[in-house]
Amino acid sequence: MTAVPILLGHQTAARLRANLDTVALGLPAVLIVAALGWRLLGATGAVVAAVLGLAALAAASVWRARRYDRRWLIGALDARIPRFEDSTALLFRERSSVSGLTALQRDRLESRVHEAAAVDLRPGWSGRPIAIAWGAAVLLIAAILLWPASNGADTKSAAAARPATAANPPVLTGARLRIIPPAYTGLPVREQTALDARVPEGSRVEWLIDFAPQPSTAGLEFPEDTPLSLIRDGTRWTGARIVDRPVLYRIEAAGLAQQRLNRLDAVADAEPVVRLVDPESQLVQLTPGQTTWTPVFEASDDYGVIETGTLKITVTKGDGENITFEQRTMPLRGQGAAKRMRFSTTLNLAREGMAAGSDLIVQLVVTDNRNPERHTVEGPSVILRWPANLEMAEGLDGMAMRVMPAYFASQRQIIINAEALIARRRTLAGDPFIDASNVIGEEQAALRLRYGQFMGEEAEGGGSGGGIILPTSDAPPAPALPTADAPAPARPAAHDDHDHEGEDHADETAPGGTMGSEVDVLHEFGHAHDDRDVATLFEPRTRGALARALDAMWASERELRQGRPEAALPHAHQALELLKEAQQATRIFLRRVGSDLPPVDFSRRLTGEREGIVARDPERPERPTADAVAADAWRALEERPGASSAPLALGALDAWVRQNGGRIPDPLALRAAIDTVRNEPACLDCRRRLRALLWTALQRPAPAPGRRDAPGQRGQRYLDALR
């Protein structure tokens, strides 16, 4: 640890510079406060003000120096000294606690510690702000000390202290809000002159209100809560309340004119958000030879999350109904800022009990610093899957292929992939090029089998895309086919055009798979000679086009599997054109079915009874409109010429807002607008605002079909004749 004292010297120097800079900036303010105390309260006031100012200055100095901690020192040294190779943190670790490459790197850094002695990490002086602060302090102190004594302040205080009378009612001369957020938010205390505010949920709001002349009583009225009485302190009235939900309030005093409602919105603390950083997807598969796994999560919150999180680990074993679960939890410590922190750990798969066919599921649980009730959030679950068929033969590690779900590629996509592979021939040669061509061939085989089901072909066992092509040592550059001792198997011949007369259809089972349900439907309703041959569902021209398309697909697949995508492209293009031709000509012949009419009721024939024959329109029930009160008020507030001057039913409208507050976008704003119009009926802007808010609160009517226009004389005669 011989290098640590040298490095810590930079930290001490940086903190000392920060302390001196803070003192140079804040000392003028302390002198100004001491001068004010001396002018107002004498020597005692000056001493008290100076002591309090120095204490505040010391606290600010300590707070500014806190940022120069060991983390800052490590980051500064890594940034200023490139030869430390971003490994300065190793110098602060015990020599016995590191080994291997880490110990070697630490020894290398110790030999370069002398380079850190010449680096100056102290922050710069705030020269311009210091000069401005001292210049302003000299001017203000001179003005305070030389300002002549005056009795105006005493006269004003006496006038403010005089009680209000009927002839001289009180007037609101000043009002301030002091907002103290909860400690867990870390937000500073702030003051504002506006009486409307948005504060964090659980904040303490203090009112500082001035009247002239002074009323006998004052308070705050909350329409839906207990009123708050203000306490007089000299010439100022104060009161405080914890705001945990949105509220409306009004300042009241004896003899004071009616004030408008003000609003306090309580902003709820949002829950933390956990995001998966690595891996990118929530389901990943084990790679051959992988022994460890490092998932990375990121947790963010508006005020910060607790540094310690919990990682839930679940390991599943078995298959089918014999699946067992092993669950455990482990603590994780996050890194980074409190508002955005990362959590990661490295899991040993063998220690966790992973085996073939197992799943390792991890989930991060974090908690924010909300007080008293914290928010606990579970992040997304991430699954590491070890497929049961990942076992590989000896010597084939580099040629193993992952077993993934089968997704069919279109013929056009196969052509695009082949052209892209041809363009990469210069950079991708040899076995990688052949493997990529073989993959495209597997996609061509899957598409061929999918269309072959409609032509009556049997599916190949396991799909043609499941094999691995291995080149032989004595083979030419192109790889051999899946069977080295036999030529390429011929594609099963598709049924081409044939005569319907005298056909002898074999009693074969229709191919299953994903197309089974569609085949069953077509067999039930299609024009098939029997219930098994799906090839006869298409007209002869369509069957011929499909058969030629399958031949072209087979030729394209053969060339692709041998690593010759250039030779496969003509066959692939031909298959695409034939598929387009088949799609345009496809027709399915359906059986003719007779009309299913209701049976005739012979008992009513020739009786002349017409009951129940002609339907009558039911009478529409009169339903009261839920927003009738709001709609009437909206119409009454209209300003166009000739508009009805009906009186506003503000009481009923306020009751409607209370009853429907759950679906109104902003019920507090609407109630405040109603109260303002009630107290100030001549305020035109207030009426316009109320009308605009009512428009947003009205429920939109459901669209209804319009009634048909009344017919003319000729049309009426036609309808009468029909009746």
Side-chain angles (χ1 to χ4, degrees), residues 283-290 316 318-319 349 354-360 383-392 401-405:
L283 176 61
V284 293
Q285 289 204 359
L286 189 75
T287 58
Q290 181 179 353
T316 66
D319 191 11
L349 302 184
M354 285 283 287
S358 299
D359 286 349
L360 177 60
I383 304 174
L384 176 64
R385 178 160 295 170
W386 188 337
N389 53 356
L390 194 64
E391 302 295 337
M392 298 172 294
M401 300 177 61
R402 296 184 184 180
V403 180
M404 296 295 289

Side-chain angles (χ1 to χ4, degrees), residues 421 432-441 559-561 563-565:
L421 181 60
F433 182 85
I434 296 174
D435 294 340
S437 179
N438 186 37
V439 170
I440 303 176
E559 301 297 340
L560 287 171
R561 288 185 176 275
R564 296 197 293 264

Side-chain angles (χ1 to χ4, degrees), residues 603-660:
S603 63
R604 298 186 59 179
R605 297 191 66 186
L606 304 177
T607 60
E609 297 180 1
R610 297 174 56 86
E611 289 79 4
I613 297 178
V614 181
R616 297 180 179 179
D617 294 335
E619 297 182 0
R620 296 183 179 182
E622 293 294 336
R623 298 181 179 178
T625 306
D627 296 342
V629 175
D632 294 341
W634 183 82
R635 297 188 190 95
L637 290 168
E638 193 173 7
E639 298 178 19
R640 65 180 178 83
S644 60
S645 58
L648 287 173
L650 296 178
L653 183 60
D654 188 66
W656 175 83
V657 174
R658 294 172 184 267
Q659 183 180 1
N660 299 276

Side-chain angles (χ1 to χ4, degrees), residues 27-254:
L27 190 57
V30 175
L31 296 177
I32 293 173
V33 173
L36 283 174
W38 178 82
R39 185 60 184 269
L40 298 177
L41 302 176
T44 303
V47 172
V48 173
V51 170
L52 295 177
L54 291 175
L57 183 60
S61 176
V62 172
W63 181 79
R64 284 193 65 189
R66 285 179 57 190
R67 65 183 296 267
Y68 301 101
D69 53 2
R70 181 168 296 182
R71 181 181 298 178
W72 166 86
L73 178 61
I74 293 173
L77 290 173
D78 288 338
R80 296 288 298 274
I81 306 177
R83 286 174 55 80
F84 276 13
E85 300 176 349
D86 293 338
S87 303
T88 309
L90 296 177
L91 296 174
F92 294 92
R93 297 176 60 179
E94 293 291 343
R95 182 63 178 82
S96 59
S97 63
V98 295
S99 60
L101 293 177
T102 305
L104 180 60
Q105 178 69 0
R106 188 183 182 282
D107 294 337
R108 293 177 59 192
L109 294 181
E110 283 189 347
S111 64
R112 304 172 184 175
V113 170
H114 65 278
E115 299 182 12
V119 178
D120 187 7
L121 300 181
R122 295 178 299 175
W125 290 99
S126 304
R128 186 180 181 86
I130 291 174
I132 294 174
W134 280 97
V138 171
L139 295 177
L140 290 176
I141 292 174
I144 292 172
L145 298 179
L146 300 177
W147 192 265
S150 175
N151 296 328
D154 299 336
T155 304
K156 184 178 179 180
S157 300
R162 231 181 357 252
T165 61
N168 189 20
V171 178
L172 186 65
T173 59
R176 295 182 65 84
L177 290 183
R178 180 180 174 85
I179 302 170
I180 306 175
Y184 74 88
T185 63
L187 299 177
V189 178
R190 61 186 175 95
E191 291 189 5
Q192 64 179 43
T193 56
L195 296 178
D196 294 337
R198 290 174 57 87
V199 301
E201 186 180 25
S203 298
R204 176 183 172 87
V205 179
E206 299 178 356
W207 285 266
L208 310 174
I209 302 174
D210 297 327
F211 298 98
Q214 295 296 328
S216 58
T217 59
L220 300 176
E221 177 197 0
F222 296 90
E224 294 184 350
D225 208 339
T226 305
L228 176 65
S229 298
L230 298 179
I231 301 174
R232 182 175 177 179
D233 184 11
T235 59
R236 176 162 291 178
W237 297 76
T238 61
R241 172 179 175 151
I242 301 297
V243 179
D244 52 6
R245 60 185 179 87
V247 293
L248 296 173
Y249 74 95
R250 176 190 289 113
I251 299 175
E252 288 189 339

